[in-house]
């Protein structure tokens, strides 16, 4: 194999990475562009256009630290945002859905760019919802363990200086060795560490759970206060309209308002043909089917044709199976 | 019914007139395939009368055969229509335009087909089958010539004067002919003589002359019977006879090169005789001993072939075959009185000859015949119409001894020597070989008593021998197949006559029969009786008692040493055991083992938890088991290893599988109304439960286990409580909170009342990812808390109901794991459902499943039934297993829904509670793995056929072929805590010997730590679109990897390529095109795998 890498592949610069003398991994890099998405709110602040490098085919076991070190020669790295950052198994589905709904262009460049922007944004949203800023929650300490990403995945590297991008994209004369982070174990030691970290001491679990519940209750109480309304009380707005809400956990509306039928009830009603309609159906006079002689004839005729059709179908089936020599028992 | 009869009669009338111009008719209606049948029938009626005419009509016969004699009924209908409207297009027309109602004739045919046969398609299938199993009569000319020659020779031979038998045989020997005198051979002073006189008449008889011949299995030659003439006056007689013989041949009641049931070799006419009995009824005047029994009346003559076939099966299934005394009604009376047949066990004499068709058939064979008839009737009666039993009844071969019998033994008769051998009995039986086999039959049946439902001797049929040779002695190797009554088969004691029995001979006979096994014993109830006691140490051995009995009896009465009686149960047992050295080590430490002990440990844990009621914030409502170790179906029997013994046990044998249990608390309004908070509250509960349990039970250890945040979403149930009891049992408890389901539903779709099409418009900012996560969390919730405990109860019930079920599941699990599919591709629950098929059947049953005739009595037989099922299963169509029984479900007509395609899921196995059938198969097998299962089942089946030959080895069924993998990854066995479960592994390593000094006492494997599985999961997830990984989850130390076909070729570069690639180097001139092309970076991927498995992986081998 000739050792010359092409200088560009579909607009991406291949960066050879040496893991060992015999093995070269290829990173594909390009400058990150926000293009279309600029119109949307708060985008540029997340991934600054001018100093973000977009990477494809990140090694599955790469850590933020390793990437930072690897690009050190090009400049200081502020942070690394991995694809999806969270639940690996969902990224694919999501990206597919996105390309469906948002109609991303087929061009790989823009696809890559737009695709990646979404993850951090979403991630952020999710975390905001899940953890109401309650300083009291005591986290369960988690050691620095590698997170194995899917192979061929992407990442954004945000440099401190915009000038680093050009340096990072300049072709390498020979593969640059990968800086392995010795603090994050791999292989068997990784699994042992992971096993241990998932079984924290009981007092840590207790502290975490208790503090979480405290903060949760605090948030709930705050919400309740905010809504000013008490359980079961009708909420009447300035115009005199009463707010109607669905029943809460145990038939009572949590945040106030007048309760209506539970969802279950509604679903059932719909399944069996919702209330009104079913009553209507019953009353509707049924068309008499066997009233006129022609109806009877027609019915019989149809039946007979049906019989014949089935018969012919059976015959065709058997003939087909016969052709495949199925009826040679031995 | 009368319709067919009438038509047939008309046909007979028509026949002679038409047969004069047979050449024309086929041409006239060319293209009408049904036509020829009539011609054929006409010819047949003629040939029946005169053999010599066959040759004349030969050419014509060819035509009739080629055109096929199926659809006989249509042929007739068409014939009439051709009379009225001679245009063949009319017939074609009516076929093409099906929107025209059928004509009266057509309708009659259709109605007949569905009324007289099981269903119309059944009738069509019968018609398709028949021509394939009949000889081609147009090819008989050479045989006819031979028969004429034989006739001429016999009638023209000059008579000889009477001479002594020895002289006669010497004379013939000179001409190269061996005379097979029956034993004992005549001696010089024999008082009788032999002579030859010209026969008065020679009649070619039997099924050949009657055109009743039916093809035998294994391309055995047609036999030209020489015994009796079978007049066939009943229209459907011929077809019924053919069906019956096909049925019998498929079950080994006939000739064949594979194992056939003893006694049916020359019984070609038995089937005709059975039909004869049905058609003519029993002779009322010919009363046997039991004259009170109702005599069988003749069945009507208007029956269809199918109905007659069914009637025959019904006769075989319901009459007491082993004690049968049946004489077919004969207007001329029988030649011999009934009393003359008293020496036979079973008698069936037809109307034409004095021959007893059941002579020479061992009673064991008859009882098997009876069972088979019952099973077939069951299949015809019970299976839902959607499931066509035709295949099962006529097309599928049922001779495979491994699925037919609960216990199979291979016996070498070479050293056999009968204990009681009298010349008279040998004379009676004809030869000492027959004598030997009949002794085997009778002694085994006596010894097994009600333990076995049938005892069958099988061997290949004897081959024809040259005139010049002595007849062969009979197969030196026979097989014995037992079908057990599982209620009785494994009892430990057989009682004989009491000590104070009035008949002193009885005790003697008992002792004579059992030999040194018989002993006088006093039992708990104070009785003192002769008895035979079988001492067994383990439950495995208990399943061998029927074999022990057979081996003992064969040795005692037939002089067959135990070494010559081969059986394979032990080889199968060993597959489910850890190496001897490991088990003895466990035993030496006195640890608790086995399913019963595990269940007892579970019960006591439940008691402990419920005892903490006043200390817990909420009362515990239920603790449900959901683990195969608690329902008798884990491949290995569960084991408890207390911490104290771990240091003295090798690292590779320290693995403990936690048993899943589900805790349900009383309902309470105190649970938060938010999914994440619920998970956190579970943590709090677990922590509390853990500390309370540890203070309540000293020596108990409990740990809260978190879900891996990298792979488990925070709204999904993820945490659990790991409990290790002081005895060393490990449980993994989870909390079931039913509010989760509703909250997840809301997360998936918070506006269920808004129709989908409106929602689509609204959905600018739906959180697709959140919805996806919630859907998955809901799936986990349903599987873990709703279905798993219910499945557990159903499977546990099956284990109790069928003694062989547990062993079957364990064997099948071991088999699938040995072929690198269990757990990783096929869930254990799916395996349990598949195994249930062998016991409760498939599809909806009308009747109570306990009445199933054909329930396997041993795990070995059921194992092969499952393999047999898997090899033929067209999984695209799905499967319904009536696991829960009909009464459990309010019948909502849970018809098999058309399988919904899910990526990566090939199988649908539905039950009453899971009509979609994806609960246990949504995560695999994918089509690739599913095809593998089929291929492996086929290979295993093929291999298992070797049981009929010599040198059959069970281990080969469990050896996985590895040549097809692209990459093999070898793991370091010494770091795998469950390596001792490995089926083929290095025995030293499995026993921890070679590194015993280094590892023992130094490192203790963490509870349930399975690094191989963790690596497997990571590889599978990381390279989801690049590779497929396979390995044996039971102690496997090797991964097999295949590349996804989609990644092996160069592709244009895309951001979402999803595989590690390297640019295609510019070697060619078309550099421009190549610029965008990338190809799989194999080197880099292998090196990544090496990093992922550092310390675990020994070597990576690229095979391709």
């Amino acid at each position: 194999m000739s050792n010359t890498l092409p200088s560009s592949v579909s607009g991406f610069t291949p960066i050879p990475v040496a893991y060992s003398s015999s093995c070269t991994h290829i990173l594909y890099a390009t400058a990150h562009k926000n293009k279309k998405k600029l119109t949307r709110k708060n985008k540029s602040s997340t991934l600054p256009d001018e100093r973000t490098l977009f990477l494809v085919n990140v090694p599955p076991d790469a850590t933020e630290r390793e990437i930072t070190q690897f690009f050190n020669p090009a400049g200081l790295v502020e942070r690394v945002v991995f694809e999806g950052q969270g639940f690996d198994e969902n990224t694919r589905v999501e990206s597919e859905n996105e390309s469906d709904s948002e109609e991303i262009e087929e061009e790989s460049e823009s696809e890559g760019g737009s695709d990646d922007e979404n993850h951090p944004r979403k991630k952020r949203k999710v975390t905001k919802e899940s953890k109401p800023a309650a300083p009291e929650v005591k986290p369960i300490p988690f050691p620095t363990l590698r997170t194995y990403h899917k192979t061929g995945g992407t990442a954004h590297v945000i440099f401190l200086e915009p000038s680093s991008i050009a340096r990072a994209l300049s072709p390498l004369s020979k593969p640059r060795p990968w800086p392995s982070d010795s603090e994050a174990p791999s292989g068997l030691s990784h699994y042992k560490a992971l096993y241990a970290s998932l079984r924290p001491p009981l007092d840590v679990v207790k502290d975490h759970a208790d503090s979480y519940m405290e903060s949760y209750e605090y948030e709930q109480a705050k919400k309740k206060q905010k809504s000013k309304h008490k359980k079961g009380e009708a909420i009447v707005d300035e115009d005199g309209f009463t707010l109607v809400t669905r029943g809460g956990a145990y038939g009572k509306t949590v945040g106030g308002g007048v309760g209506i039928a539970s969802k279950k009830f509604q679903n059932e009603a719909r399944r069996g043909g919702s209330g009104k309609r079913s009553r209507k159906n019953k009353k509707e006079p049924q068309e008499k089917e066997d009233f006129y002689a022609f109806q009877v004839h027609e019915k019989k005729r149809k039946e007979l044709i049906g019989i014949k059709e089935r018969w012919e179908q059976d015959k065709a089936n058997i003939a087909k199976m016969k052709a495949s020599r199925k009826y040679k028992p031995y | 019914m009368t319709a067919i009869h009438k038509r047939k009669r008309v046909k007979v009338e028509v026949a002679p007139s038409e047969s004069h111009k047979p050449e024309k008719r086929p041409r006239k209606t060319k293209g009408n395939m049904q036509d020829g049948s009539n011609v054929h029938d006409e010819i047949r009626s003629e040939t029946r009368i005169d053999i010599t005419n066959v040759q004349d009509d030969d050419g014509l016969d060819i035509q009739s055969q080629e055109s096929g004699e199926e659809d006989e009924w249509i042929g007739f209908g068409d014939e009439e229509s051709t009379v009225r409207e001679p245009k063949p297009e009319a017939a074609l027309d009516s076929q093409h335009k099906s929107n025209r109602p059928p004509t009266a004739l057509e309708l009659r045919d259709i109605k007949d087909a569905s009324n007289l046969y099981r269903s119309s398609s059944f009738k069509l299938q019968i018609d398709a089958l028949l021509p394939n199993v009949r000889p081609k009569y147009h090819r008989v000319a050479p045989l006819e010539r031979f028969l004429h020659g034989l006739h001429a020779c016999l009638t023209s031979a000059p008579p000889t004067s009477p001479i002594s038998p020895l002289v006669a045989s010497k004379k013939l020997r000179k001409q190269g002919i061996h005379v097979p005198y029956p034993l004992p051979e005549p001696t010089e002073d024999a008082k009788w003589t032999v002579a030859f006189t010209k026969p008065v008449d020679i009649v070619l008889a039997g099924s050949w002359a009657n055109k009743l011949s039916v093809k035998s299995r294994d391309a055995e030659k047609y036999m030209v019977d020489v015994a009796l003439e079978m007049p066939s006056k009943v229209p459907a007689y011929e077809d019924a006879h053919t069906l019956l013989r096909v049925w019998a041949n498929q079950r080994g009641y006939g000739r064949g090169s594979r194992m056939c049931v003893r006694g049916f070799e020359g019984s070609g006419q038995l089937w005709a005789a059975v039909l004869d009995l049905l058609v003519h009824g029993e002779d009322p005047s010919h009363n046997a001993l039991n004259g009170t029994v109702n005599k069988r009346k003749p069945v009507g003559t208007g029956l269809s072939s199918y109905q007659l076939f069914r009637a025959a099966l019904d006769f075989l299934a319901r009459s007491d075959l082993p004690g049968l005394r049946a004489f077919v009604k004969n207007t001329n009376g029988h030649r011999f009185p009934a009393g003359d047949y008293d020496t036979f066990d079973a008698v069936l004499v037809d109307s034409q000859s004095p021959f007893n068709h059941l002579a020479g058939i061992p009673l064991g064979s008859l009882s098997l015949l009876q069972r088979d008839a019952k099973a077939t009737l069951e299949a015809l009666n019970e299976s839902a119409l959607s499931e066509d039993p035709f295949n099962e009844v006529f097309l599928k071969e049922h001779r495979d001894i491994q699925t037919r019998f609960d216990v199979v033994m291979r016996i070498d008769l070479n050293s056999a020597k009968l204990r009681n051998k009298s010349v008279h009995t040998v004379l009676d039986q004809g030869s000492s070989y027959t004598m030997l086999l009949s002794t085997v039959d009778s002694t085994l049946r006596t010894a097994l008593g009600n333990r076995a439902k049938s005892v069958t001797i099988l061997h290949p049929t004897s081959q024809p021998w040259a005139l010049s040779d002595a007849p062969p002695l009979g197969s030196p190797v026979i097989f014995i197949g037992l079908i057990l009554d599982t209620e009785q088969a494994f009892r430990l004691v057989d009682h004989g006559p009491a000590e104070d029995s009035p008949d002193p001979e009885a005790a003697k006979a008992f002792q004579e029969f059992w030999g040194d096994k018989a002993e006088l014993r006093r039992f708990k109830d104070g009785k003192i009786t002769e008895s035979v006691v079988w001492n067994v140490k383990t439950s495995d051995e208990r399943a061998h008692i029927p074999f022990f009995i057979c081996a003992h009896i064969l040795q005692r009465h037939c002089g067959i040493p135990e070494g010559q009686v081969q059986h394979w149960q032990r080889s199968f047992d060993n597959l489910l055991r850890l190496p001897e050295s490991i088990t003895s080590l466990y035993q030496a430490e006195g640890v608790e083992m086995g399913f019963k002990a595990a269940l007892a440990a579970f019960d006591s844990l439940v008691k402990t938890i419920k005892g903490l009621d006043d200390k817990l914030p909420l009362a515990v409502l239920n603790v449900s088991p959901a683990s195969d170790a608690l329902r008798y179906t884990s491949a290995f029997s569960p084991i408890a290893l207390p911490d104290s013994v771990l240091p003295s046990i090798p690292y590779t044998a320290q693995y403990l599988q936690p048993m899943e249990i589900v805790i349900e608390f009383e309902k309470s309004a105190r649970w938060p109304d938010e999914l994440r908070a619920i998970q956190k509250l579970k943590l709090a509960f677990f922590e509390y439960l853990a500390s309370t349990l540890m203070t309540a039970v000293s020596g108990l250890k409990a740990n809260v286990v978190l879900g891996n945040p990298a792979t488990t979403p925070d709204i999904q149930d993820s945490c659990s409580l790991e409990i290790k009891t002081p005895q060393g049992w490990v449980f993994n408890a989870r909390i079931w909170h039913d509010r989760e389901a509703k909250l997840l539903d809301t997360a998936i779709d918070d506006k269920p009342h808004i129709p989908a099409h409106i929602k689509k418009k609204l959905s600018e900012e739906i959180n697709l990812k959140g919805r996806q996560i919630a859907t998955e969390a809901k799936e986990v919730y349903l599987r873990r808390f709703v279905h798993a405990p219910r499945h557990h109860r159903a499977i546990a019930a099956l284990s109790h109901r069928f003694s062989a079920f547990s062993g079957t599941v364990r064997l099948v699990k071991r088999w699938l794991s040995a072929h690198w599919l269990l757990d990783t591709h096929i869930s254990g629950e799916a395996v349990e459902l598949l195994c249930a098929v062998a016991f409760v059947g498939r599809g909806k049953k009308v009747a109570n499943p306990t009445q199933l005739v054909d329930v396997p009595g041993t795990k070995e037989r059921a194992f092969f039934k499952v393999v047999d099922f898997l090899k033929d299963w067209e999984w695209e169509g799905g499967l319904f297993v009536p696991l829960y029984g009909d009464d459990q479900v309010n019948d909502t007509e849970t018809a098999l829904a058309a399988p919904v395609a899910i990526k990566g899921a090939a199988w649908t196995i539905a039950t009453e509670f899971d009509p979609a059938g994806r609960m246990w198969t949504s995560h695999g097998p994918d089509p690739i793995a599913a095809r593998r299962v089929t291929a492996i089942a086929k290979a295993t089946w093929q291999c298992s056929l070797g049981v009929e030959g010599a040198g059959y080895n069970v281990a080969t069924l469990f050896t996985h072929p590895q040549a097809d993998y692209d990459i093999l990854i070898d793991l370091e066995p010494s770091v795998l805590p469950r390596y001792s479960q490995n089926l083929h592994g290095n025995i030293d390593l499995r026993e921890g010997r070679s590194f015993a000094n280094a590892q023992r006492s130094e490192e203790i494997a963490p509870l349930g730590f399975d690094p191989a599985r963790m690596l497997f999961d990571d590889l599978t997830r990381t390279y989801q679109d690049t590779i497929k990984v396979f390995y044996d989850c039971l102690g496997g130390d090797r991964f097999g990897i295949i590349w996804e076909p989609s990644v092996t070729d160069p592709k244009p570069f895309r951001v979402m390529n999803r595989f590690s690639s390297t640019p295609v180097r510019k070697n060619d001139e078309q550099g421009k095109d190549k610029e965008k092309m990338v190809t799989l970076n194999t080197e880099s991927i292998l090196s990544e795998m090496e990093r992922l498995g550092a310390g675990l992986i020994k070597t990576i081998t690229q095979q391709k």
Side-chain angles (χ1 to χ4, degrees), chain A residues 1-6 8-10 12 14 19 22-26 28 54 56-57 59-61 83-84 86-95 97 101 106 108 111-112 115 121-122 125-126 130 140 142 147-154 186-192 194-195 197-200 202 205-206 208-210 212-213 216 246 248-250 263 266-267 270 301 304-305 307-309 311-312 314-315 318 321-322 326-330, chain B residues 70 73-74 94 98-102 106-107 110 113 120-121 124-125 128-129 132-133 215-217 246 249-250 390-391 394-395 668-669 672-674 676-677 680-681 683-684 687 690 694 704-713 722 739 746 752-753 768-769 772-773 776 975 1003 1006-1007 1009 1011 1014-1015 1018 1021-1026 1053-1056 1058-1063 1065 1067 1075-1076 1078 1081 1083-1084 1087-1088 1091-1096:
Chain A
M1 201 205 296
S2 83
N3 226 0
T4 48
L5 274 176
S8 133
V9 177
S10 297
F12 280 75
Y19 268 101
S22 64
C23 156
T24 310
H25 182 93
I26 305 292
Y28 302 91
F54 177 50
V56 178
N57 197 18
D61 56 341
E83 172 183 2
F87 319 117
D88 281 334
E89 62 262 43
N90 300 308
T91 49
R92 185 189 162 84
V93 180
E94 191 202 9
S95 64
N97 287 338
S101 55
E106 274 301 295
S108 52
E111 187 191 279
D115 206 88
R121 176 173 55 87
K122 262 188 191 150
K125 249 171 95 180
V126 168
S130 66
I140 296 177
F142 211 70
T147 305
Y148 294 144
H149 304 278
K150 266 191 180 176
T151 184
T154 62
S186 63
L188 188 58
S189 341
H190 165 80
Y191 290 126
K192 279 185 179 161
L194 180 64
Y195 177 95
S197 75
L198 294 179
R199 286 160 180 77
L202 285 183
V205 175
K206 187 176 158 59
H208 172 71
D210 288 353
Y212 185 96
M213 290 320 290
Y216 173 78
R246 200 170 304 289
Y250 297 93
K263 206 180 298 170
Q266 204 183 21
N267 283 343
R270 191 155 4 100
R301 198 180 116 92
L304 288 176
I305 289 177
I307 287 175
K308 195 180 165 192
E309 263 170 13
W311 172 246
E312 295 294 340
D314 277 350
K315 251 163 72 178
I318 308 294
M321 285 198 272
K322 218 165 121 184
K326 200 187 151 209
Y327 293 107
K328 282 229 168 208
Y330 41 77
Chain B
E70 63 269 41
W73 57 276
I74 283 191
S94 71
S98 57
N99 58 351
R100 201 180 289 171
E106 276 177 317
L107 192 63
I110 296 171
S120 53
S121 91
L124 287 168
Q125 298 195 70
L129 169 75
N132 284 331
V133 292
K215 203 171 150 191
S216 333
R217 286 225 49 134
V246 169
N249 283 343
Q250 291 288 34
F390 188 85
N391 191 42
F394 295 114
L395 299 182
S668 159
D673 213 23
E674 201 266 332
R676 287 171 194 83
K680 299 295 179 189
L681 194 61
L683 274 185
E687 189 278 328
M694 282 197 277
V704 177
V705 184
L706 311 176
N708 184 352
T711 51
T712 335
E722 202 171 68
R739 180 105 187 108
T746 316
H753 50 288
L768 280 171
K769 183 163 182 172
Q772 173 80 18
I773 290 169
E776 269 167 38
V975 298
E1003 200 177 355
L1007 208 54
F1009 182 56
M1014 290 169 106
L1015 177 62
D1018 273 341
R1021 195 175 44 243
T1022 305
Y1023 299 102
Q1024 189 183 316
D1025 306 309
T1026 315
F1053 175 83
R1054 296 268 314 264
V1055 171
M1056 290 297 154
R1058 294 287 174 209
F1059 63 89
S1060 180
S1061 60
T1062 185
R1065 305 297 205 268
N1067 282 337
E1075 180 147 296
K1076 287 182 177 175
V1078 291
N1081 193 349
E1083 294 288 310
S1084 167
S1087 128
E1088 276 162 25
R1091 296 204 296 276
L1092 259 55
L1096 265 171

Side-chain angles (χ1 to χ4, degrees), chain A residues 33-49:
Chain A
K33 282 173 202 135
N34 263 327
K35 261 203 214 163
K36 276 163 74 187
K37 304 284 165 132
L38 270 176
T39 48
R40 291 205 184 168
K41 44 203 167 152
N42 310 330
K43 276 299 172 60
S44 42
S45 61
T46 319
L47 291 171
D49 236 358

Side-chain angles (χ1 to χ4, degrees), chain B residues 222-415:
Chain B
Y222 286 101
M223 300 292 282
V224 181
D225 303 324
V226 217
L228 87 160
E229 174 92 13
M230 190 73 250
S232 49
K233 295 275 168 8
V234 177
Y237 179 86
E238 276 173 50
D239 287 353
H241 178 260
T242 308
L243 291 179
L244 195 56
R245 288 198 72 167
V246 169
W247 177 84
N249 283 343
Q250 291 288 34
R251 286 157 181 79
Y253 302 107
R255 301 179 54 79
S257 57
R258 287 186 62 192
M259 290 306 144
C260 291
V261 180
R262 164 96 186 145
F264 288 87
E265 191 167 320
S267 69
Q269 289 156 58
L270 167 64
W271 315 107
V274 168
L275 290 173
D276 194 25
L277 180 69
L278 292 173
V279 171
H280 294 118
E282 218 170 319
D283 199 331
S285 61
H286 217 76
N287 268 1
L289 299 172
N290 42 358
T292 49
V293 176
N294 280 343
K295 289 296 169 190
R296 286 169 196 86
K297 302 241 161 55
V299 295
T301 48
L303 295 185
S304 71
S305 57
Y306 168 68
Q307 285 167 326
L308 206 49
F309 166 73
R310 265 203 68 145
L313 286 188
D314 199 63
F315 165 74
L316 294 174
R318 278 177 214 211
S319 51
D320 169 33
L321 274 192
L324 186 73
R325 289 250 160 322
F327 298 85
V328 178
K329 190 171 180 177
N330 185 354
T331 41
N332 303 326
H334 284 274
R335 203 191 294 175
F336 300 119
D340 282 10
Y341 295 92
D342 283 352
T343 48
F344 292 106
D345 292 317
V347 181
L348 173 60
V349 177
D350 67 55
S351 56
Q352 301 293 311
S353 73
F355 187 63
N356 175 16
H357 292 290
L358 296 180
I361 301 179
L363 293 191
S365 302
L366 283 181
S367 61
L368 185 73
L369 176 65
Q370 190 151 32
R371 283 184 61 79
D372 278 340
K374 269 186 197 155
T376 305
L377 280 179
E378 189 181 79
L380 289 172
N381 289 341
E382 305 289 338
S383 32
L385 274 174
S386 57
E387 241 188 273
D388 194 352
F390 188 85
N391 191 42
E392 180 70 18
V393 173
F394 295 114
L395 299 182
K396 194 169 161 56
E397 183 180 346
H398 291 269
R399 291 191 297 175
D400 311 292
I401 50 178
Q402 67 273 39
T403 46
R404 195 171 191 182
F405 301 105
D406 291 328
V407 181
V408 173
M409 286 167 275
R410 181 182 193 270
I411 294 158
D412 193 332
L413 295 176
N414 279 323
S415 48

Side-chain angles (χ1 to χ4, degrees), chain B residues 69 160 405 429 643 772 784 861 865 911 984 1015 1056:
Chain B
E69 60 183 312
T160 63
F405 301 105
Q429 300 280 352
D643 289 351
Q772 173 80 18
R784 195 172 275 166
R861 176 172 176 215
K865 284 203 133 196
T911 62
H984 307 287
L1015 177 62
M1056 290 297 154

Side-chain angles (χ1 to χ4, degrees), chain B residues 819-1046:
Chain B
H819 289 290
W820 300 7
L821 289 163
L822 183 71
D823 261 17
T824 50
H825 293 88
I826 301 171
S827 68
E829 286 83 357
V831 176
E832 284 157 354
L833 290 175
L834 286 174
C835 291
V837 171
F839 292 86
V840 301
R842 53 196 288 208
K844 292 229 152 191
K845 292 270 174 198
V846 187
N848 189 352
T850 46
Q851 290 169 344
L852 270 183
V853 175
D854 211 21
V855 171
T858 56
K859 63 176 183 297
E860 293 81 11
R861 176 172 176 215
F863 167 73
F864 284 114
K865 284 203 133 196
V866 174
V867 172
D868 186 24
F869 168 74
L870 284 174
K871 88 183 199 303
D872 295 330
W873 183 30
E874 289 163 0
W875 41 262
E876 294 87 347
L879 172 70
F880 182 90
V881 185
L883 182 63
Y884 297 91
D886 289 336
D887 50 328
Q888 294 243 3
V889 185
N890 42 345
D891 199 30
T892 40
E893 214 29 66
T894 41
L896 252 188
V900 188
I902 300 181
K903 192 183 171 257
W907 288 359
T908 44
I909 307 178
T911 62
E912 290 88 339
F913 284 108
D914 177 25
R918 294 285 191 183
M919 191 45 64
W920 306 111
T921 53
S922 60
H923 293 284
D926 60 8
I928 293 180
R931 279 192 288 274
R932 264 172 187 254
V933 174
T934 311
I936 285 165
K938 277 188 179 141
T940 304
W941 181 257
Q942 208 52 44
C943 203
S944 75
L945 296 180
V947 72
E948 293 181 15
Y952 168 66
N953 186 0
V954 171
T956 49
L957 309 180
F958 290 76
T959 308
H960 187 53
Q962 299 170 10
D964 281 344
Y965 291 104
D966 295 319
I967 299 163
L968 288 178
I969 296 184
D970 279 300
L971 306 182
E972 175 54 52
S974 59
V975 298
L976 306 178
R978 55 196 306 189
Y979 185 68
S980 58
Q981 300 177 344
N982 191 302
L983 192 55
H984 307 287
N986 179 328
I987 190 70
D988 284 344
L989 282 175
R990 284 168 76 185
E991 292 167 12
R993 220 179 274 147
S994 68
F995 50 90
N997 299 333
Q999 293 274 348
R1000 246 183 231 189
S1001 75
E1002 256 179 35
E1003 200 177 355
I1004 301 291
L1007 208 54
F1009 182 56
D1010 189 357
R1013 180 59 194 259
M1014 290 169 106
L1015 177 62
F1016 171 89
D1017 287 342
D1018 273 341
L1019 287 181
T1020 306
R1021 195 175 44 243
T1022 305
Y1023 299 102
Q1024 189 183 316
D1025 306 309
T1026 315
I1027 56 172
K1028 285 252 173 295
V1029 194
F1030 299 86
Y1031 101 107
D1032 179 355
C1033 69
L1034 299 176
D1037 63 335
R1038 180 173 279 182
F1039 289 179
I1041 291 175
I1042 52 173
W1043 297 111
E1044 282 277 356
S1046 60

